[in-house]
Amino acid sequence: QGNPEVMEWLTVSTLSIVVVGASGDLAKKKTFPSLLNLYDDNLLPKHTRIWGFARSDMSDEELRDRLRPHLTGDHSKEVVDRFLARCVYRSGTSYGDQDAFTKINQDMEEYERDHQDVKHYNRLFYFAIPPNVFADTALAIKKTSMQDESKGFTRLIVEKPFGRDLESFEKLNKTLAEHFTEDHMFRIDHYLGKEMVQNLTVLRFSNIWFERVWNADNIQCVILTFKEPFGTDGRGGYFDKYGIIRDILQNHLLQVLTLLAMETPVKLEGPGASRAIRNAKVAVLNAIPPVQIEDVVLGQYEGYADDPTIENKDTNTPTYATIKLSINTPRWYGVPFILKAGKATNERKAEMRIQFKDPPAASFLFEGEGENYCPRNELVMRMQPDEAVYMKTNVKSPGFTAKPIQSELEVNYDTRFFDHQKEANPDAYTRLILDVLQGKHAAFVRDDELRRAWEIFTPILKKIENENIRPVIYKQGSRGPIESDNFIMEKAGYIRNEDYVFHEGGV
Amino acid sequence: QGNPEVMEWLTVSTLSIVVVGASGDLAKKKTFPSLLNLYDDNLLPKHTRIWGFARSDMSDEELRDRLRPHLTGDHSKEVVDRFLARCVYRSGTSYGDQDAFTKINQDMEEYERDHQDVKHYNRLFYFAIPPNVFADTALAIKKTSMQDESKGFTRLIVEKPFGRDLESFEKLNKTLAEHFTEDHMFRIDHYLGKEMVQNLTVLRFSNIWFERVWNADNIQCVILTFKEPFGTDGRGGYFDKYGIIRDILQNHLLQVLTLLAMETPVKLEGPGASRAIRNAKVAVLNAIPPVQIEDVVLGQYEGYADDPTIENKDTNTPTYATIKLSINTPRWYGVPFILKAGKATNERKAEMRIQFKDPPAASFLFEGEGENYCPRNELVMRMQPDEAVYMKTNVKSPGFTAKPIQSELEVNYDTRFFDHQKEANPDAYTRLILDVLQGKHAAFVRDDELRRAWEIFTPILKKIENENIRPVIYKQGSRGPIESDNFIMEKAGYIRNEDYVFHEGGV
Amino acid sequence: QGNPEVMEWLTVSTLSIVVVGASGDLAKKKTFPSLLNLYDDNLLPKHTRIWGFARSDMSDEELRDRLRPHLTGDHSKEVVDRFLARCVYRSGTSYGDQDAFTKINQDMEEYERDHQDVKHYNRLFYFAIPPNVFADTALAIKKTSMQDESKGFTRLIVEKPFGRDLESFEKLNKTLAEHFTEDHMFRIDHYLGKEMVQNLTVLRFSNIWFERVWNADNIQCVILTFKEPFGTDGRGGYFDKYGIIRDILQNHLLQVLTLLAMETPVKLEGPGASRAIRNAKVAVLNAIPPVQIEDVVLGQYEGYADDPTIENKDTNTPTYATIKLSINTPRWYGVPFILKAGKATNERKAEMRIQFKDPPAASFLFEGEGENYCPRNELVMRMQPDEAVYMKTNVKSPGFTAKPIQSELEVNYDTRFFDHQKEANPDAYTRLILDVLQGKHAAFVRDDELRRAWEIFTPILKKIENENIRPVIYKQGSRGPIESDNFIMEKAGYIRNEDYVFHEGGV
Amino acid sequence: QGNPEVMEWLTVSTLSIVVVGASGDLAKKKTFPSLLNLYDDNLLPKHTRIWGFARSDMSDEELRDRLRPHLTGDHSKEVVDRFLARCVYRSGTSYGDQDAFTKINQDMEEYERDHQDVKHYNRLFYFAIPPNVFADTALAIKKTSMQDESKGFTRLIVEKPFGRDLESFEKLNKTLAEHFTEDHMFRIDHYLGKEMVQNLTVLRFSNIWFERVWNADNIQCVILTFKEPFGTDGRGGYFDKYGIIRDILQNHLLQVLTLLAMETPVKLEGPGASRAIRNAKVAVLNAIPPVQIEDVVLGQYEGYADDPTIENKDTNTPTYATIKLSINTPRWYGVPFILKAGKATNERKAEMRIQFKDPPAASFLFEGEGENYCPRNELVMRMQPDEAVYMKTNVKSPGFTAKPIQSELEVNYDTRFFDHQKEANPDAYTRLILDVLQGKHAAFVRDDELRRAWEIFTPILKKIENENIRPVIYKQGSRGPIESDNFIMEKAGYIRNEDYVFHEGGV
C-alpha cells in the first residue's frame, strides 16, 4: 500500500473533512463507509477529524447512530467506534449558511492549533448535496474556510450530475470556478475508481501484445455495457428528469471510453501525470463528433411510467440506450464504439468488450460451412458482477480434429488475487478519496472533459426532448430491445459466436 | 471425431497392418497400444487384421501374452480381447526374409478375398526395427507385398533415427527411395503428434492477436525446452552413440521450431494441405544457417560414464545442450531461437516459451527502480508435464497501487477440456497412426526436411566429435550447467522475472 | 558488368550455340541480335561459335545476309562482321533430323578439340521453333549432341507458347521431360528480362519503406497493364487460336504478378537463389484460385475478324481482357489483382500500378467537398514506353493554401541513368541469354509454375470457348471497353484522381 | 488563393496596422516588404492603412524613402507607390509613449469612422522592437488602442527572442499576459512559415506511405540541420549574448521537430485546428527530457572573437551546436533526434533528414562485402537553398547486375511548381502575416510551447555559462567540428553512404 516515503503525509499533517449533506443517502452509503475503509487501512492521517454538516438538527451521537448501520464490511466494532468518535455534526439553516461554516472553521482552526507539531493543515470538503446548492456552499466555504496554500490544501469533492446539458453545466461550472480553481476541485465519476478501469492503463501500456492490437487495423468494434436487473424502484421521479443517457452513458461509459481509447500519455505516475492523462482523455473527446439520431436506439421498459413518482405518464425518457460513437483519430478511424446501458434487464453486468477483426488468413485456412467457423477474438474486461479479464482465443479442438474452438485465456480477480492473497478489493469511492488526499487528479473529471462530453451529447438530448422521440418498449427482465442487438450487428459489424459456451467451472 | 463422410473409409476398406519388429520395445509400448486406442475409438476399419512379425519364434497366443501387460489404459477387458483376437504372429529368419513376407502376403490376400464387398484393400507396414535393417525389409516388402494402387494403399511408418549425419541419412534414404516414393512413407516424429504442437497452427492462424505479435518487431527470443529428471538408466550404450543433440534437438525441437516459425501455408486442411505445410516447414529450415560452435553450450551430467553400458569412459557425448539458431527471414531476422534439452535435470518439462520485447512506452511510463519493473510478456505453450497455454501479462497490482505485476492469462487443458468434457487427450502415436490411415502427411517428416535438418547440425556434430570438445559437467538433479542460463541471457537477451510466482491453486 | 572472378568462365570455356529455327522471325529479330549484343559487350566466351539450323537450304553467307538487316543498334560494322564470321548454317530435312544433328555434333566436337586448353565445353540450343516440333528436336539432340556433364553443360532455351491449356502443356512438357531435366531447361518469358521487372526484387527488399506498405493493410489494389496501339496486322491467324489471355495474361502479366506478390525468398543471389525465388513464385501461384467468369471482362476490337488470316469470321477470341485474381495469403487477403491487356488501343503501355488505401486520418483532417479531396498514393513502375518508377504523393499546394495536391516522386531511368551515365539498357533477351550462360534459372519459368498457371486459367479459357462467350466490341484506338474501367472501379475499388496531371516537362 | 467565401473579410473590414519600430532593420527588411507582397496579391483588405511608429523624427515621405530600397521583388513601380501612399509615420518619445499611441488611436478611429459601411474594424500591431520594451509598448496599446472585440480584432505580432532562459521568458511573458490573452498574441517563428515546414503536415497525414514508416520501428534517426556560410559579420555583439543554441536550436529547429514528431491533431483546418495543432506540438515538447551535457557537441569558428563587437575575447559562446534529444512516446521511443546548427560553415543549408533502419531482409538477401552494401533509405525535406523533397531509394543497378544502388525519388519545387506553373513561392513572413489576418494561430508559438522549450534548454545553457564549457574550435568554411560528425554516427547510429552521388543534372 505505497512506499513509506510517499505515505509520509499520513503522519505530518492534520486533515479536517467536512461532509456537506451528511444526512443524505450518498453520505451514509458511500462517503462515510469509504472514509472508514481508509481509516481502518491506516490511510487517513493520524490526526483526522470529520464534520458532518446538513440542515437537520442532530447531535453528534444521532449522526453516529444514523451512520452505524451502513458501516458494515470487514471492520471490527472497536475500529468503527474509534472512527465514529472522530465524527461530529454541525447544522446550518441552509447549505450556504455562512455563519455555520464560520463556526466549523473555528472548530477546524482549534483542531489545527492543537497539532502544532505537524507540517500541513489540510481541509477536504465533500459535497454530498444536489448541484443546485453547490454555488451557495462554495461561496460559504470560500468566505470562511479556505486554507492558505502555504498552510495546507483546501480540496472539494463534487458529485455528479454536472448539469443536464451544455448550458446548465457551464452555468454550474461558472459558479464554482469563480471561487475555486481546477486544482481545488475533484469531480467524482466513481467508474474511474473501479479496479478494472484503473487497470486499463496498466494493461494497455505495460503489455506489448495489447499495444500491438489496440487500433483500427485490428479492432472491429468496442462495446461498453452497463445493465442492471431492476428499474427505478420508486425513485423514478429523479430519474425521469435525466434518463439513462445522462445517468450512465454521457458520464460513466464515456469516461471509460476515454481511458480505453486515449493515446499514450507522457506520464502515468509522478508529477505531471494527472495533467498528462487528462490531456490525453480530452484529446479523445475532442475527436468524437456529436451524436446523430441515426446512431441511437432508445428503449423504455414496460411499466416504467407506473412508478408513482413519475409525474408525466406519457414520458419518453429512455431507460435503455445504445449509442454509436466514432473517434476521428488515425488509431480509431472507422471503429464503432458502442455505449449501451439499460435498466430492468435480465442481468447485472458492466463490462468493456473489444471484438477483433477476422485474422487475415482464417477464411481460407480453415474449412468450414458457416461464416463463424473461425470465431473472432474478443477481449472482455468485466467490472461487474465480479472482476475479470479474458481473451476469447481459438484453440484446436482437443483430440483428433483440428477445428478451432473458442476457449478463453483469463485472469479472474477473485480467484487469482482476492481469495488467495487476502488482499481486499477496495471499492471505488475509497480509492478515489485516497487519490484526493494524495492530490492525484488523474481519476477525476476536468472541466474541459465535461464541456466536451456535453457538446457530444447535448444535441441528441435536446432532439429527443424537443421532438418527443419515442423509445421502443421492452419487457422487464429481457435483454432490452431487439433493435439494439440488430443495431450492434449492423452498425458495429459485431458477430456473436453462438457456439461459444463460457466455461463454468473454470477460471 | 470427424464427420461421417470423411470417415466413410472405416466401413468400405480392409486394413492389413504388419508390425515389423513386433517383439521389440517400441511395438509393445507404443505401436500395439496405439492401435488398441484407435480400435476402441472405432477408428480402425471394421475389417482390420494385424500381423506381428519378428525373428523370434512365437505363437499368436504368445504374442498376445507379451502385449497384454502394455494394453493398459481406459479399455475394458472385453475390448482388449477382441483387439488381440485380430492380432496374429509370423516369424522370419531375418527382417528381410522374403519367403516370410511372401507368406504374410498370402495371408493378406486371403483376408482381402474374404471381403469382396469393400472398395479398398489397404496395407500398412510399421517399421518398429533399427534403421540398419530398413533396406532389407523394404526390399522384401517391395518384392512381395506392394498393393496395386488401384486396389488400395501401401504405406510405411518409419521411426527415427534417420541417420547420424547428412551422409548416413542420404544413404539410408536412398535405400528406401529406391523402392518407395514419399507418398508411401510416413516418418514419425512423435512430437508432431502432441496436442500442443498440433495446436500451434490453430493458435497462430486463427487468432489475430497471435498473428500481430508473431515477428521480430515484437519477439525478443524463442526458447524450446526439453528436460527430463532421469539419466540413461543403464541404456547409455545406445545413447552414447547419438547424444542429446541428435536425440532431441535435431529432430523433436527443430520440428517444433519449424511449426512455430513457418510462414502461413496456403492451406491447413483438405487436399494439398500436407504439401503446403511441409513446403512452409522446409522453407524455414532453408533459412537457418548451420550451427556454429560459439552458439552451443554442452553439458554432461556427473556420473554419466558410470553407466555400465557405456564403453568409452572418457566419452564427451553431451547429455545437455543449448543451441542458438537464427532464421534468415524478414519475420525472424535478429530473433534468437534457443533449443535446450537435458537429461538428469531437476524436472520433467517440455515447453515452447516466447519472450516478447519491452513495450515501447514501458520504461518511462512506469516509475521504478529496477530494470524489470515492468516485466516482459511471455507466451508459454507447455507440452509436459500437463498441457497448457498461458500468456504472462501485466496487470495493475490489485488494490491501492498502480504498479504492474505479472499475472497469467491461461487455458489449462486438463481443467478446461479433459476433466470437464470427458474427452480423451489421445497420445501422440495414436493421433499419428490415424493420420497415416487418412493419408495425411502433414505431421510426418519429408525427406527434404530431414536433409536440411542434417545440413544444419552435421558440421557441429562432426566438430564436437573430431575435436573432442568437452562438455561442462553438471550435477544430476540440477537445472543443468549454469553456463546455459548465462548463455541464454547474453545471447538471447532473455530476462528472467525473479518476482514472478506462478499461481499454484489457479487455472 | 560483374566482377572478374564471376566472369572467369568467359575465358576458360568454349561455347557452341545452335539456333534451331534460324531462318524464322524470332531468330532474326531476337536471338541473333541479342547474341550480337552480348558479343559486343564481351559477354560471350572468347571461343564461341554459332550454328544456325533450319529446313531451308542456305549457305553460311546467305544466313549472314538475312541476319544483317536486323543487326542494328549501336554496333560498329567491324563488330557485326566479326560476329557474323562466327555464324554458320546447317540445314536438315526436318527439325528432328537426327542425321543433321549428328553432323552438327561432329562440327562441335571438332571445334571443341581445337580448344584443348579450356576447362569446359558448353553447348546451348535455342529453340526458335513452334512447340509442335519440340519433341522431335529434343529427341534428336538427346540422341546426338548431349554433352557429358563433366565436360560442360547442355542447355535448352525454349520459347512460349507452352501449351494452350493444362492438358496440352502437360503433354508438351512430358516430351521434353523425358529427355531433359529442369536443370537443362530455360523457358523464356521475356517479361522477366525487363529492367523494371528485375528491379522489383531490389525495390521490394532493399527499401524499408516499400516493405512496410507492401500488404493488404495498405494496398487497395494492384493493376498490371499491357496495351498496344495496333491490332493483329495480318497475323491474326495465329493470334486467333490463342487470344489475349493466353498471349499476355496467363504468362507475362501473371509472371510479373508473382514477383510483385511473392514472399521474401531466402536468397536473392548466389547458389540456391534461383530455387528459392522460384519456390516463392510458385507459392504465390498456389494461393491463387482459378478464375471465375464473373471476374472477367472480355473485349474485341471492331474489325478484328476482318483480318484476312482469321478464318472464323464469327470468332469470339478476345483481343482485350481484364481479369481479377485473388491471392489467398495473409499478406494479400482481400486485395484485388487486376490483369489487363489489350490490342488496338489508344497507346503503348506496360506498367505495374499499385493504388494504396486512403490514409486513416485523411477524411477528417482535410476539409473538402469531394471524395477525392485527398487523393490516394499510387506507385507506378512503368516498363513501356520508357522505364520509370514514381510514387504519386500528396504535397501541400505551394503557396498560400494547404490543400493537398498530387505530385510524383519519381526516378526516370532515361534521364537518371541511361542518358547521363552512358550505360546501355540491355534488352530483355540479351539479359536472359546471359543468365542462361551463367546458369541462373531465377528468371526462367519452372514446370510447376507453368502447371499452376494453367490450372488458374484453363477453366475460364474452356468456358469461353465452350459456351461461346461473346466479347464486348470496342473501337480501335480507344481505351478499350468502358466495361473494363467500370469493372476496375467496382471490383477493385480503384479511384481515379481526375485532377491529376502528370508533369510533362519534369523528371 | 483561398475560396471567395473565406476571403470575404477582404472587403468587409478596415485594417489598421501599426508597425512599432518602423525605422529598424526588421521592419524595413521583412515587415513592410511582406505587407507589400500581400497588398500586391490583393490579400490586404481594400481599406488598409499602415502607421509606422518609432522614436526617430521623420516625415511620412522620409519613411517611404527609407522603405523603398527594400521593396524589391516582382512588383511594379505603380503598385509600390500605391502601397506606400497607405503608409504614414508617427514618432514617440519612447516605445511606451502613451500620448503618441493616443494620437495614433485617434487617427485609427477617424479612419474607421470614414468607413461606416464595413462590418469590422481590425487592428494589428507589429512589434519590430527589442523585447526589453515589449512591456511598455504593450501597456501603451492596452491603455489607448484596444479595439472592442465586437467591433473588430486587436492582434499583436511579436518577434523572438522570447527570453534568454526560463526565468526571463516567464518575466517577459507575464508583462504581456497582463494585458493580452493568447488570442491576441501571434509569436512569430518564421521557420513555421516556410513552404516545406508547412508541407510537413500534408506530407505526413495525406500519404499512407509516410504514415506507415513514421515511427521508431522504422526510423533510425532524425537530423535537423541549419548551416550558413558566414559568421557574425560584425554583428557579433548581439549574437555573443545568445549563441547558436538560443539563436537557432531552441526555437527554429525545435519548432520544426515538433511538427515532424507530433501525433495527428484532431483537425488541421477550420475552427479548432490551431488549438488542436498546438496541443499536439506541446505534447511532443512535454515528452522531451531536458538536454544533458553528454548529448551536446559545441563548436566555435576560428576567429569568432575577432569580431570587434564582441567584448569578451575569451568568449565560450558556441557558433555551432549539435544536440541529441529524445522523445518519450511510444512512437519515438529510442529514436535520436539531432538538432545541428552552425555559422561560418561550408554551405547554406536547412533541411530535415530522416534516416530509416535497414530493411529486415537486406543483410542476408544482398551479397556484398561492406556493411553499407544495401544503403539505408533517407527522406530529405530541404528548406534551403531551394525547396525539395526526396527519398533516397535503392534500385537495381541498371544493366546486367542486380546490386542495389541508391537513387532518389524526388520532387523539386522549383522545377515542379514554381517554374512551370508560374506560382510564386511566398516568403515566410508574408505567409505568416496573412495567417494573422485570418486569425489562424497554428503557425505561431503558444506560451506553453515556449515555456517547455525553455525547460528543455535552460539547464544546459546555464551549465555552459556557469561552468564555462569550452567549444571545439573549427575552421571557417569547414563542415564544422569533426566531433559533431562522430557524435552523430555514434549517438544516432547514422550511417553515411559514401557511394551516394546526388544526381546533378536531374530532378
Side-chain angles (χ1 to χ4, degrees), chain C residues 183-202:
Chain C
D183 280 348
H184 296 110
M185 214 109 60
F186 292 77
R187 292 183 198 82
I188 275 193
D189 186 320
H190 71 274
Y191 263 59
L192 298 181
K194 286 177 180 289
E195 175 72 32
M196 197 51 62
V197 175
Q198 298 200 328
N199 199 356
L200 258 176
T201 45
V202 177

Side-chain angles (χ1 to χ4, degrees), chain B residues 416-467:
Chain B
R416 180 65 167 92
F417 296 115
F418 302 130
D419 290 2
H420 291 77
Q421 302 185 7
K422 305 292 172 212
E423 288 179 18
N425 180 6
D427 91 329
Y429 277 91
T430 307
R431 292 164 191 263
L432 291 172
I433 296 174
L434 180 61
D435 276 0
V436 176
L437 297 180
Q438 295 180 310
K440 294 184 181 173
H441 263 99
F444 298 86
V445 187
R446 206 165 58 184
D447 54 349
D448 51 357
E449 293 182 73
L450 274 169
R451 183 170 298 114
R452 182 65 199 165
W454 281 119
E455 285 171 5
I456 294 168
F457 279 93
T458 297
I460 194 69
L461 288 165
K462 295 254 192 247
K463 187 179 179 78
I464 292 168
E465 283 165 24
N466 296 342
E467 306 184 9

